Amino acid sequence: MENYKVLIIEDEPKVATFVKKGLEAYEFEADVCKDGFSGQKMALAHQYDAVILDIKLPNVNGFEICKHLRSQNLKTPILMLSALGTIDDKVKGFELGTNDYLTKPFEFQELLIRIRSLIKRFKTENTQTSLLLIADLELDRNSKTVKRAGKKIALTAKEFTLFEYLLLNRGRVISKAEIAEKIWETKLDLETNVIDVYINFLRKKIDRAFAAKLIHTQFGLGYIIKEEE
């Protein structure tokens, strides 16, 4: 089994120890930082396979850390682990570049599954270099860019991941449950509207300025990427 190295930025000693010991039991290496400033420096100074990031931290909070790490072009997967669990908190985290969001209290096995999934997906994506095309739109999986009619469209990390998945499955209806599992690595509570929020973000950026729409809703079933007939 390959040994992965994870950075835990968490100021609650019991939580940090619980996560560290749990990961080490599954042959992970785990470092712990108890304040935001030190955690930010560690994340940039060392090679980690994933970062587990609390939000409420001394000195620098998790949102600010995530934003700074992405501004430094750090691609390492980040999982935010926080007691802040509103839709607004989650959307803010994803907009700043986190790859996943798990609310406290949590089961360790769920955390383990999500960390493994994030690392696996990150390593898989790094080996793929392909261009996805539909109508006048192109998505470059290598440079992580999207263009439509030659115009570059700026997507956040989570918007790009969601749109990429829909485009890889063009012509097929994708349910909310599948999106939750594949993009958020969770059995997302379908009463929440996180997915709807992100679909609306994509529609505003991908479709609003163009006559031909690419993102379509199949009511009661999910979403589909296709050219209008």
Side-chain angles (χ1 to χ4, degrees), residues 7 9 36-45 48 51-53 62-78 96-97:
L7 175 63
I9 308 176
F37 183 69
S38 298
Q40 186 170 275
K41 289 179 63 177
M42 285 282 287
L44 292 171
Y48 291 102
V51 175
I52 297 174
L53 177 63
F63 289 134
E64 293 169 342
I65 292 172
C66 188
K67 182 179 180 180
H68 180 72
L69 294 181
R70 294 313 188 209
S71 74
Q72 298 300 305
N73 204 34
L74 186 77
K75 304 298 185 183
T76 305
I78 296 173
L96 292 174

Side-chain angles (χ1 to χ4, degrees), residues 5-226:
K5 191 170 183 178
V6 176
L7 175 63
I8 304 163
I9 308 176
E10 170 63 67
D11 67 325
E12 295 183 48
K14 289 184 178 179
V15 175
T17 300
F18 172 68
V19 173
K20 178 178 172 65
K21 289 184 176 180
L23 290 174
E24 289 175 342
Y26 285 89
E27 300 185 16
F28 284 74
E29 293 181 46
D31 292 335
V32 174
C33 283
K34 297 180 180 179
D35 71 272
F37 183 69
S38 298
Q40 186 170 275
K41 289 179 63 177
M42 285 282 287
L44 292 171
H46 301 277
Q47 186 81 31
Y48 291 102
D49 294 293
V51 175
I52 297 174
L53 177 63
D54 189 18
I55 294 177
K56 292 185 175 181
L57 292 163
N59 301 324
V60 185
N61 70 45
F63 289 134
E64 293 169 342
I65 292 172
C66 188
K67 182 179 180 180
H68 180 72
L69 294 181
R70 294 313 188 209
S71 74
Q72 298 300 305
N73 204 34
L74 186 77
K75 304 298 185 183
T76 305
I78 296 173
L79 182 147
M80 280 190 170
L81 185 64
S82 176
L84 302 177
T86 69
I87 293 297
D88 288 343
D89 292 323
K90 293 176 181 179
V91 168
K92 182 176 181 179
F94 289 125
E95 288 297 292
L96 292 174
T98 190
N99 300 90
D100 200 358
Y101 196 114
L102 182 61
T103 55
K104 299 174 183 178
F106 61 94
E107 296 290 337
F108 176 76
Q109 287 299 319
E110 181 175 4
L111 173 66
L112 179 65
I113 289 169
R114 293 195 187 199
I115 285 295
R116 281 177 166 169
S117 179
L118 285 178
I119 293 172
K120 180 179 179 182
R121 186 172 66 180
F122 176 73
K123 291 185 178 297
T124 299
E125 287 177 351
N126 277 357
T127 64
Q128 295 174 332
T129 55
S130 57
L131 198 64
L132 303 180
L133 305 171
I134 182 172
D136 57 351
L137 180 141
E138 64 177 50
L139 180 149
D140 191 322
R141 303 179 72 191
N142 185 35
S143 65
K144 304 296 184 184
T145 57
V146 176
K147 293 181 181 179
R148 186 159 188 193
K151 180 182 179 181
K152 188 173 181 179
I153 297 173
L155 298 183
T156 65
K158 186 58 69 173
E159 289 169 355
F160 183 91
T161 301
L162 174 56
F163 187 61
E164 177 187 35
Y165 187 76
L166 292 172
L167 196 52
L168 283 168
N169 291 274
R170 58 180 291 182
R172 182 170 76 86
V173 177
I174 310 296
S175 68
K176 286 186 180 181
E178 181 176 343
I179 292 172
E181 181 179 353
K182 299 298 183 180
I183 306 304
W184 274 268
E185 285 93 19
T186 184
K187 303 286 186 184
L188 191 67
D189 181 356
L190 297 184
E191 293 301 315
T192 68
N193 64 347
V194 171
I195 294 173
D196 295 325
V197 168
Y198 272 87
I199 291 293
N200 285 335
F201 287 162
L202 287 176
R203 281 194 166 119
K204 288 178 182 178
K205 294 182 178 182
I206 300 295
D207 280 341
R208 186 166 64 178
F210 301 89
K213 309 306 178 187
L214 300 176
I215 304 171
H216 304 274
T217 300
Q218 297 288 321
F219 292 101
L221 298 173
Y223 305 98
I224 184 172
I225 296 287
K226 65 179 182 178

